[in-house]
Amino acid sequence: MTARTGAETGLVGRLSMLDRLLPAWIMVAMAAGLGLGRAVPGLDDVLSAVEVGGVSLPIAVGLLVMMYPVLAKVRYDRLDTVTGDRRLMVSSLLLNWVVGPAVMFALAWVFLPDLPEYRTGLIIVGLARCIAMVIIWNDLACGDREAAAVLVALNSVFQVVAFGALGWFYLKVLPGWLGLATDDLHLSTGKIVVNVLVFLGVPLAAGYFTRRAGEGARGRDWYENRFLPRVGPVALYGLLFTIVVLFALQGETITDRPYDVARMAVPLLMYFAVMWGGAFIVGRAVRLAYARTATLAFTAAGNNFELAIAVAIGTFGVTSGQALAGVVGPLVEVPVLVALVYVSLWVRRRTEARTIDA
């Protein structure tokens, strides 16, 4: 048994304290937001006093802070290391940009046909492909680190280019083709594009140039082991700030309709399970080794909930159901993907045992 396999029993212990307790931090932020909303009447007017493109300035800053550390971690120089593996690249592109959005679209319409705002929010979550936490899940599951770095970089760039078009297709065009009523959805595709460019494009450029400048001036070892650990927690602080504000403004809706929040969790649970399991089957079917199969599965199942929240708030407003759906995403995703890491390691042990027996 390898040393890495032997450490599986301490899997949760290998997460940083912040990552390990992420669901708990989110719950605390939700509770704090609900309390703040009751304690400070008129908070909405205070936050709206200064707006940028229809988004409250404090919230806009929180969203950008939330995205930047994530994109500063991406290894943009690794694009050529695994792009020669056509089986991995084609499978990943199809799963992330064809299958994933379609699966979330179907689940959202099946489980939330009468809740258009939450349904739209989940579809936006499905369009925001994972670019951050997947590196953690991939490492814990003994996946291919280089392949994960490449797929994360590709997803980052592809989202800037394709998110707006996919949002237009899944929120306006496809429902019309299928005869689904969307009269209750007032959507500006241009606004989605602008928000993606601002809340993903700006931190993406900042992350890219930070890495280039940091590695050029101080070296990769300093950047990876000194700089990133310092700025990494900032993403969580930005996320928690956004959640506090969102729940402060939505407190009455949330406390009056907790069943709706539970209903959103059901399609999310199904989505993560279907995408992870389907990707794992695809990886084995095209004869990828375990490490790259695990990487394929986690990059397909995870979502960029930071971007989903940013787009939902920027497009529909901080008090919208779409924004609330974006927050429910990480609350469900984190514990589910931790559980799937254990499943993945179990598959790895079974695979190794069969190889030895053969």
Side-chain angles (χ1 to χ4, degrees):
M1 181 179 293
T2 65
R4 199 172 183 185
T5 304
E8 291 170 11
T9 55
L11 186 153
V12 175
R14 290 157 58 192
L15 289 168
S16 70
M17 182 63 70
L18 288 175
D19 292 328
R20 190 186 318 168
L21 299 178
L22 182 56
W25 296 132
I26 293 174
M27 293 294 290
V28 170
M30 290 176 174
L34 292 174
L36 181 64
R38 292 181 178 276
V40 184
L43 182 61
D44 192 9
D45 295 332
V46 174
L47 290 174
S48 300
V50 181
E51 292 188 344
V52 177
V55 179
S56 166
L57 182 59
I59 296 174
V61 172
L63 294 173
L64 290 171
V65 167
M66 178 174 65
M67 292 295 296
Y68 165 71
V70 170
L71 294 159
K73 296 179 181 180
V74 176
R75 293 291 302 272
Y76 302 96
D77 61 333
R78 297 296 181 90
L79 285 174
D80 60 346
T81 59
V82 296
T83 49
D85 189 339
R86 293 185 178 180
R87 294 172 300 172
L88 175 64
M89 299 304 296
V90 171
S91 298
S92 178
L93 288 173
L94 288 175
L95 286 166
N96 272 288
W97 298 103
V98 178
V99 178
V103 169
M104 186 67 89
F105 173 87
L107 290 172
W109 272 99
V110 168
F111 286 94
L112 303 171
D114 56 329
L115 298 172
E117 289 192 359
Y118 298 150
R119 183 180 67 231
T120 298
L122 290 191
I123 293 173
I124 290 174
V125 170
L127 297 177
R129 311 312 302 166
C130 193
I131 61 173
M133 292 293 288
V134 67
I135 295 175
I136 297 175
W137 313 134
N138 180 74
D139 280 354
L140 291 174
C142 304
D144 188 319
R145 189 170 297 172
E146 298 297 322
V150 172
L151 296 181
V152 164
L154 285 175
N155 277 348
S156 301
V157 175
F158 204 84
Q159 282 183 94
V160 175
V161 177
F163 194 101
L166 288 172
W168 170 75
F169 176 74
Y170 279 102
L171 296 175
K172 298 189 76 172
V173 176
L174 186 57
W177 288 354
L178 299 176
L180 301 172
T182 56
D183 295 338
D184 47 11
L185 176 62
H186 304 287
L187 173 69
S188 169
T189 305
K191 202 168 185 179
I192 289 181
V193 172
V194 169
N195 284 307
V196 171
L197 290 175
V198 172
F199 294 114
L200 179 59
V202 171
L204 176 63
Y208 174 78
F209 287 112
T210 299
R211 179 175 281 278
R212 288 287 300 272
E215 290 186 355
R218 304 290 294 274
R220 178 164 295 170
D221 182 69
W222 173 86
Y223 186 85
E224 294 280 351
N225 299 312
R226 298 290 296 277
F227 177 74
L228 287 182
R230 291 177 181 174
V231 302
V234 174
L236 177 60
Y237 304 149
L239 173 64
L240 295 180
F241 169 78
T242 303
I243 291 173
V244 168
V245 173
L246 192 152
F247 272 71
L249 299 177
Q250 297 224 38
E252 185 176 348
T253 301
I254 295 166
T255 54
D256 288 347
R257 307 178 69 181
Y259 179 64
D260 291 347
V261 177
R263 285 182 61 185
M264 283 187 278
V266 175
L268 283 167
L269 283 168
M270 295 187 65
Y271 170 83
F272 296 131
V274 168
M275 289 303 299
W276 186 90
F280 219 97
I281 292 172
V282 169
R284 303 313 295 268
V286 299
R287 302 193 178 187
L288 294 175
Y290 166 82
R292 291 200 166 180
T293 298
T295 297
L296 180 67
F298 283 101
T299 52
N303 288 87
N304 182 0
F305 48 79
E306 297 95 339
L307 177 62
I309 294 170
V311 170
I313 290 176
T315 305
F316 300 99
V318 71
T319 60
S320 66
Q322 290 89 344
L324 180 59
V327 172
V328 174
L331 182 64
V332 176
E333 176 176 345
V334 173
V336 170
L337 290 190
V338 168
L340 288 174
V341 168
Y342 282 102
V343 176
S344 186
L345 292 172
W346 175 81
V347 172
R348 179 175 182 250
R349 290 194 299 269
R350 292 289 300 270
T351 302
E352 290 179 345
R354 290 174 183 173
T355 302
I356 294 172
D357 292 341

